Amino acid sequence: MVGLKPPEVPPTAAVKFFSAGTAACIADLCTFPLDTAKVRLQIQGEVRIPHSTNTVEYRGVLGTLSTMVRTEGPRSLYSGLVAGLQRQMSFASIRIGLYDSVKQLYTPKGAESTGLLARLLAGCTTGAVAVTCAQPTDVVKVRFQALGALPESNRRYSGTVDAYRTIAREEGVRGLWRGTLPNIARNAIINCGELVTYDLIKDTLLRAQLMTDNVPCHFVAAFGAGFCATVVASPVDVVKTRYMNASPGQYRNVPSCLLALLLQDGIAGLYKGFVPSFLRLGSWNVVMFISYEQLQRVVMLARSAPP
């Protein structure tokens, strides 16, 4: 047996909520540089208002990371980490931690097992609710990750709190929820490609008795979930990143952002940053789901231990 044994008493919704947020923060700490590289590659070549004289070019994942370290210093790899952790504690706690509870709501009473439709509906529901609650943290995270790509004179924020204040003051409170619709679409897709895929792969492995409910099983299911999520969500992710990072007035709406991207880069532009997206989502899923499963078991063991 690799890892802790499953608890005899199933984890409560509160335990899952806490474990999901904590596990997502652990995963972010491990994979944040890959996420930053993904954002830089996705916005590269974007026509900005005002126009920038910055000529730094990024080539591939390792090239992007090395260029950032060379031109901006190692700390640039974790630019926006505070907002990223704030995002995960509010975002992942809802979309992952409440998934099982919502799935049960969609499962007909008396059903022997949960069907695919119930899983998909649960993934879409928790993803949409999570985005609505946590969107401001995502906007600030993306802005900070893109910040280093701009000249020093064009950098708008001195810190995370200043970013929230500045965006609210210059763009209105609605600016903090900029890109909510593409983000809801992205996370509905990601939840279905990620949580539902993880759920199905894990269930299949356990039912067929190919693996037991331990770390290797969680690793295989998480890796498959990360790949599926990247394939289906990458186009929406690129549009979301560009739209949230845009200067006021650069795009009228999400469709105009998509049209500008297609005219400039073609269909291939929708998969800009695919490799770092997969490296990030694949590794993020592996770290997060393994941590999530083990944290639930640690908390339940602690709760059941005699005083």
Side-chain angles (χ1 to χ4, degrees):
M1 186 71 170
V2 181
L4 296 171
K5 293 181 180 179
E8 295 180 4
V9 180
T12 63
V15 170
K16 291 179 180 180
F17 188 87
F18 166 79
S19 299
T22 306
C25 286
I26 294 170
D28 250 27
L29 286 169
C30 295
T31 64
F32 204 80
L34 291 173
D35 192 42
T36 303
K38 176 201 75 173
V39 169
R40 294 293 180 89
L41 286 168
Q42 286 177 339
I43 65 172
Q44 181 166 256
E46 182 178 20
V47 178
R48 294 198 57 83
I49 302 172
H51 293 288
S52 169
T53 56
N54 182 38
T55 57
V56 174
E57 288 190 8
Y58 304 113
R59 297 182 182 278
V61 184
L62 294 178
T64 301
L65 295 174
S66 62
T67 299
M68 289 175 63
V69 171
R70 188 177 67 252
T71 60
E72 304 167 43
R75 291 182 62 183
S76 65
L77 299 177
Y78 283 89
S79 182
L81 178 63
V82 174
L85 296 180
Q86 290 171 353
R87 173 181 180 268
Q88 293 300 355
M89 282 308 297
S90 55
F91 179 70
S93 297
I94 296 171
R95 84 173 181 93
I96 299 168
L98 298 184
Y99 169 75
D100 286 331
S101 300
V102 175
K103 183 174 69 175
Q104 293 307 313
L105 292 176
Y106 286 119
T107 303
K109 289 183 180 179
E112 292 184 5
S113 61
T114 304
L116 178 61
L117 180 60
R119 297 175 202 249
L120 291 172
L121 288 172
C124 290
T125 301
T126 57
V129 173
V131 168
T132 304
C133 296
Q135 182 69 3
T137 61
D138 204 15
V139 172
V140 171
K141 178 184 79 78
V142 169
R143 297 278 180 98
F144 264 98
Q145 287 175 317
L147 210 58
L150 299 173
E152 201 74 44
S153 58
N154 286 359
R155 297 186 183 181
R156 295 174 276 180
Y157 318 117
S158 59
T160 306
V161 176
D162 178 60
Y164 287 115
R165 277 199 294 249
T166 303
I167 293 171
R169 184 176 65 250
E170 295 181 356
E171 304 173 37
V173 175
R174 289 180 61 184
L176 291 170
W177 271 267
R178 187 184 186 90
T180 300
L181 289 179
N183 214 8
I184 285 176
R186 171 185 181 266
N187 280 287
I189 293 170
I190 280 188
N191 256 23
C192 293
E194 187 178 88
L195 282 173
V196 176
T197 302
Y198 177 83
D199 207 9
L200 288 171
I201 293 175
K202 180 183 169 186
D203 268 7
T204 301
L205 291 173
L206 295 178
R207 285 176 184 273
Q209 297 184 340
L210 296 173
M211 292 179 138
T212 55
D213 192 2
N214 54 25
V215 172
C217 174
H218 304 155
F219 177 90
V220 172
F223 187 84
F227 180 76
C228 289
T230 308
V231 170
V232 298
S234 189
V236 185
D237 194 28
V238 173
V239 175
K240 179 214 78 164
T241 299
R242 287 207 172 189
Y243 188 69
M244 289 198 304
N245 184 56
S247 304
Q250 185 170 352
Y251 303 117
R252 291 195 309 276
N253 47 38
V254 176
S256 71
C257 178
L258 173 61
L259 182 61
L261 173 65
L262 290 174
L263 289 173
Q264 185 178 340
D265 299 319
I267 296 294
L270 294 174
Y271 282 91
K272 265 195 170 185
F274 180 83
V275 173
S277 287
F278 172 60
L279 289 176
R280 196 262 173 173
L281 261 182
S283 57
W284 190 92
N285 271 273
V286 168
V287 175
M288 193 284 297
F289 276 115
I290 290 175
S291 300
Y292 177 51
E293 298 277 9
Q294 294 301 306
L295 279 169
Q296 289 181 83
R297 297 172 187 190
V298 167
V299 173
M300 293 307 293
L301 281 173
R303 289 182 63 177
S304 62

